[in-house]
Amino acid sequence: MPDVRSICAIGLRGQMGLNGVLPWEGDPRAPFVEDVARFFDITRGHVLVAGRKTIEAIPEFARGDRTLFVTDRTMDPREVLARFPDRVVYVGGGPVAWGAYAPYIRHWDINRLPYDGPADRWFDPAWLLAGGAVL
């Protein structure tokens, strides 16, 4: 059974996305740059399960040192996770993925960033309470 974890960044009020990207995308300030580096450092050597847009956004330099798997709404999370026994699997890539995989996530790595602007995607605290599913 994989060790299923999630890694995400949220704004001060739980903001996660805006028009299909991170609301702070491209912000050159240290907390935002450090968050991106931290994401690549933490997921290195592990599996990253995410939607197509997130996987496509992974830069070339980071593609060789982690296993990338594109998931979508039609896939059964149990079947996807069963492909990676005895691995650490990070679920990334937004509300759809976290909503589907929340029952299997044992550890949430949430980095709160100093962003307080607009968003159209928000972190749902109910995901944290969905754990406990057995594969």
Side-chain angles (χ1 to χ4, degrees):
M1 175 182 347
D3 177 0
V4 185
R5 304 174 185 188
S6 183
I7 184 166
C8 64
I10 63 174
L12 295 174
R13 294 178 289 118
Q15 303 98 312
M16 298 185 77
L18 180 63
N19 301 320
V21 297
L22 298 171
W24 48 84
E25 188 79 29
D27 191 314
R29 292 178 290 165
F32 303 98
V33 173
E34 291 165 0
D35 178 67
V36 172
R38 183 175 177 278
F39 173 86
F40 289 124
D41 185 50
I42 288 173
T43 61
R44 183 178 297 118
H46 302 299
V47 177
L48 176 61
V49 172
R52 178 189 53 79
K53 287 176 75 173
T54 299
I55 296 297
E56 287 176 355
I58 302 295
E60 194 60 40
F61 78 85
R63 292 183 169 271
D65 58 4
R66 72 204 77 234
T67 301
L68 302 175
F69 184 87
V70 177
T71 189
D72 66 41
R73 297 171 199 261
T74 67
M75 295 179 179
D76 181 335
R78 292 170 297 186
E79 292 177 12
V80 170
L81 296 172
R83 296 174 184 230
F84 307 104
D86 304 319
R87 296 280 309 269
V88 173
V89 175
Y90 280 94
V91 178
V96 173
W98 289 310
Y101 287 84
Y104 308 99
I105 296 171
R106 295 181 181 184
H107 175 85
W108 287 87
D109 186 314
I110 303 168
N111 191 17
R112 193 163 181 212
L113 294 172
Y115 175 82
D116 200 23
D120 56 17
R121 298 286 185 267
W122 302 84
F123 186 84
D124 184 349
W127 297 332
L128 301 174
L129 304 174
V134 177
L135 291 179

